[in-house]
Amino acid sequence: DIQMTQSPSTLSASVGDRVTITCRASQSISNWLAWYQQKPGKAPNLLIYKTSSLEGGVPSRFSGSGSGTEFTLTISSLQPDDFASYYCQQYDTRPYTFGQGTKLEIK
Amino acid sequence: QVQLQESGPGLVKPSQTLSLTCAVSGVSTGRGDYFWTWIRQSPGMGLEWIGRVHSSGITNYNPSLKSRLTISVDETENQFALSLTSVTAADTAVYYCARGEYFFDSWGQGTLVTVTS
């Protein structure tokens, strides 16, 4: 299986900050990567697919980049609603696999 | 707007079969351009892709679960289902149903299944 490793596991930041979360794949996945946001007690919510394509309704402060084995999710200016957990997911090869998550906390 | 809702027992005894159903509204499960997927989440394993079914009945399973797993779709009832046999404590998780072949744009709220005697 392809292993997805996110860093950091926890990130403390303030409203207005620019933050970046990294996701590394154990082998090349081209650009077949999605990002999700999850709030406590809720299902994950799709933010980005194919590395950088924004899902409809997702604010433009979210962006994704990368290719091959290294990918990033950037939030350009944190809003109060953004404090949540974030997960990457590869869909290059089945079984599709997720990163372990990054918890974004209020500093 | 598509909506998904999981249902099934919250408690299952070890060695028994876990059965869940996902009711879909807003779109037909018979629509040929969608796959319907099961994903679970546990503190130990994180998010885990279980498998998917197409309206044609074609399925793809996670090899780690394949020997115990059946996913099926019922166009008449507009739902799809998961059956996992011979469960152990390691199968305790929140189970989500979702729409998507590769990534997942609509999810159910999730249902907690605990395997315990």
Side-chain angles (χ1 to χ4, degrees), chain A residues 2-17:
Chain A
I2 296 176
Q3 263 199 310
M4 306 301 292
T5 304
Q6 289 181 232
S7 60
S9 295
T10 306
L11 179 57
S12 296
S14 302
V15 172
D17 284 354

Side-chain angles (χ1 to χ4, degrees), chain A residues 8-72:
Chain A
S9 295
T10 306
L11 179 57
S12 296
S14 302
V15 172
D17 284 354
R18 178 184 179 90
V19 298
T20 297
I21 298 168
T22 298
C23 178
R24 290 185 173 87
S26 60
Q27 64 189 68
S28 177
I29 58 169
S30 184
N31 60 352
W32 305 120
L33 185 95
W35 289 96
Y36 300 85
Q37 177 192 68
Q38 186 178 32
K39 295 183 178 178
K42 302 292 187 183
N45 180 52
L46 178 67
L47 297 175
I48 287 170
Y49 59 94
K50 204 177 178 185
T51 296
S52 59
S53 296
L54 212 60
E55 175 70 350
V58 174
S60 59
R61 63 181 179 273
F62 291 91
S63 63
S65 64
S67 67
T69 62
E70 186 153 336
F71 302 85
T72 58

Side-chain angles (χ1 to χ4, degrees), chain B residues 4-106:
Chain B
L4 299 93
Q5 176 69 59
E6 305 88 350
S7 61
L11 292 176
V12 182
K13 289 182 170 27
S15 80
Q16 293 191 342
T17 297
L18 183 165
S19 296
L20 296 174
T21 299
C22 181
V24 179
S25 60
V27 67
S28 170
T29 54
R31 185 167 156 172
D33 50 347
Y34 289 132
F35 277 77
W36 304 97
T37 295
W38 287 98
I39 293 162
R40 68 183 183 181
Q41 185 173 29
S42 63
M45 289 292 291
L47 285 160
E48 181 179 23
W49 180 82
I50 297 172
R52 68 188 183 190
V53 62
H54 185 261
S55 59
S56 62
I58 292 172
T59 54
N60 301 108
Y61 297 152
N62 190 320
S64 69
L65 299 169
K66 187 174 182 178
S67 63
R68 303 190 288 130
L69 183 63
T70 302
I71 298 176
S72 59
V73 63
D74 184 341
E75 184 180 350
T76 304
E77 296 292 329
N78 214 39
Q79 64 186 27
F80 61 107
L82 173 151
S83 176
L84 185 66
T85 64
S86 305
V87 297
T88 70
D91 295 309
T92 293
V94 175
Y95 285 75
Y96 295 101
C97 58
R99 182 181 72 174
E101 182 175 4
Y102 300 114
F103 51 87
F104 315 109
D105 62 1
S106 297

Side-chain angles (χ1 to χ4, degrees), chain A residues 10-15 78 82-84 102-107:
Chain A
T10 306
L11 179 57
S12 296
S14 302
V15 172
L78 273 175
D82 300 338
F83 292 95
T102 295
K103 186 175 182 180
L104 182 52
E105 298 181 330
I106 300 174
K107 185 184 286 185

